[in-house]
Amino acid sequence: QSVLTQPPSVSAAPGQRVTITCSGSSSNIEKNYVSWYQQLPGTAPKLLIFDDYQRPSGIPDRFSGSKSGTSATLAISGLQTTDEAYYYCGTRDDSLNGAVFGGGTTLTVL
Amino acid sequence: QVHLQQSGPALVKPSQTLSLTCAISGDSVSSNGAPWNWIRQSPSRGLEWLGRTYHRSSKWYSDFAVSFKSRLTIDADTFKNQFSLRLHSVTPEDTAVYYCARGGNNWFAPWGQGILVTVSS
């Protein structure tokens, strides 16, 4: 059981917008920055969002992040078939004194 | 551009020590304050942060996840510009893909390519 809770799967049609939620608690998301990762099968996770909503260089603005209280959200607009992947959220947990991750969400682009 | 290249054995026997190395290019392992991390991933446990090492004000520091503190060592080699993981007394439950990653303020990038390590006799 992961410290952060994500839905196991989400799906949407090409061109549409989808959101993935990440639920935590006062010891992690509420007090610390959240990051999001995309993992294609057989590859290492890739940073999509850091510091709740910032995008690294090279990440398109179709990907956006937000946070409110103990939850964070990744939104992907203008869905493309190449967006099919696993998505993970991460942050620091002050009670555990280390990084924690969500269980991951599979995105299917129908 | 920072690149991390991992190396190490794919098979380890139970009770032995799992050892992996992460070679860094495009950055220095002793960059002030930059954390160098080990993370693993398995179907049963998902992504697990194991620990990190970093250099700050002429000293080296290490932090470990509570679950691994008693059997995990993370070292840095400034001459080879790499860092390593040693996980002692492994069991089949330690079977996972192990990643190294550069860290920031609650984020990780880039990641190494990952190595699947199987613990089996």
Side-chain angles (χ1 to χ4, degrees):
Chain A
Q1 293 83 350
S2 301
V3 174
L4 307 178
T5 301
Q6 299 180 233
S9 63
V10 295
S11 62
Q16 291 194 329
R17 180 178 183 270
V18 70
T19 60
I20 299 172
T21 57
C22 176
S23 296
S25 70
S26 58
S27 65
N28 44 63
I29 289 179
E30 188 167 58
K31 292 192 179 70
N32 295 288
Y33 285 124
V34 174
S35 53
W36 289 91
Y37 305 87
Q38 178 192 60
Q39 185 175 34
L40 299 171
T43 69
K46 173 185 172 184
L47 181 65
L48 283 180
I49 298 288
F50 68 99
D51 291 358
D52 296 341
Y53 62 89
Q54 302 279 7
R55 285 187 308 277
S57 174
I59 301 299
D61 60 5
R62 301 188 298 108
F63 295 89
S64 62
S66 62
K67 188 175 82 172
S68 178
T70 59
S71 291
T73 301
L74 172 70
I76 311 172
S77 60
L79 274 174
Q80 302 174 1
T81 55
T82 52
D83 295 331
E84 284 202 336
Y86 302 99
Y87 292 84
Y88 295 90
C89 57
T91 187
R92 173 184 169 80
D93 189 290
D94 292 338
S95 298
L96 298 173
N97 199 30
V100 292
F101 295 95
T105 299
T106 302
L107 169 62
T108 302
V109 181
L110 302 167
Chain B
Q1 187 176 3
V2 181
H3 180 74
L4 305 179
Q5 183 68 37
Q6 298 177 228
S7 59
L11 181 64
V12 181
K13 288 182 167 48
S15 80
Q16 293 192 341
T17 296
L18 185 164
S19 297
L20 297 172
T21 298
C22 183
I24 303 163
S25 57
D27 199 350
S28 170
V29 71
S30 53
S31 290
N32 193 40
W36 300 96
N37 300 264
W38 288 99
I39 298 163
R40 73 181 187 182
Q41 184 175 31
S42 64
S44 58
R45 303 167 81 94
L47 285 167
E48 286 184 287
W49 176 77
L50 302 177
R52 65 180 183 177
T53 189
Y54 57 98
H55 189 247
R56 180 176 294 163
S57 302
S58 304
K59 290 184 180 179
W60 284 96
Y61 298 88
S62 294
D63 300 320
F64 304 106
V66 171
S67 305
F68 300 95
K69 195 166 187 175
S70 64
R71 61 188 186 106
L72 180 61
T73 304
I74 298 178
D75 293 315
D77 184 332
T78 56
F79 293 104
K80 294 183 178 179
N81 201 31
Q82 63 187 30
F83 64 107
S84 62
L85 167 149
R86 282 178 289 153
L87 184 63
H88 309 284
S89 305
V90 297
T91 71
E93 288 198 347
D94 292 311
T95 294
V97 177
Y98 286 76
Y99 294 100
C100 60
R102 189 188 192 281
N105 188 22
N106 300 334
W107 52 262
F108 302 100
W111 297 54
Q113 82 276 19
I115 292 182
L116 172 59
V117 180
T118 301
V119 179
S120 173
S121 54

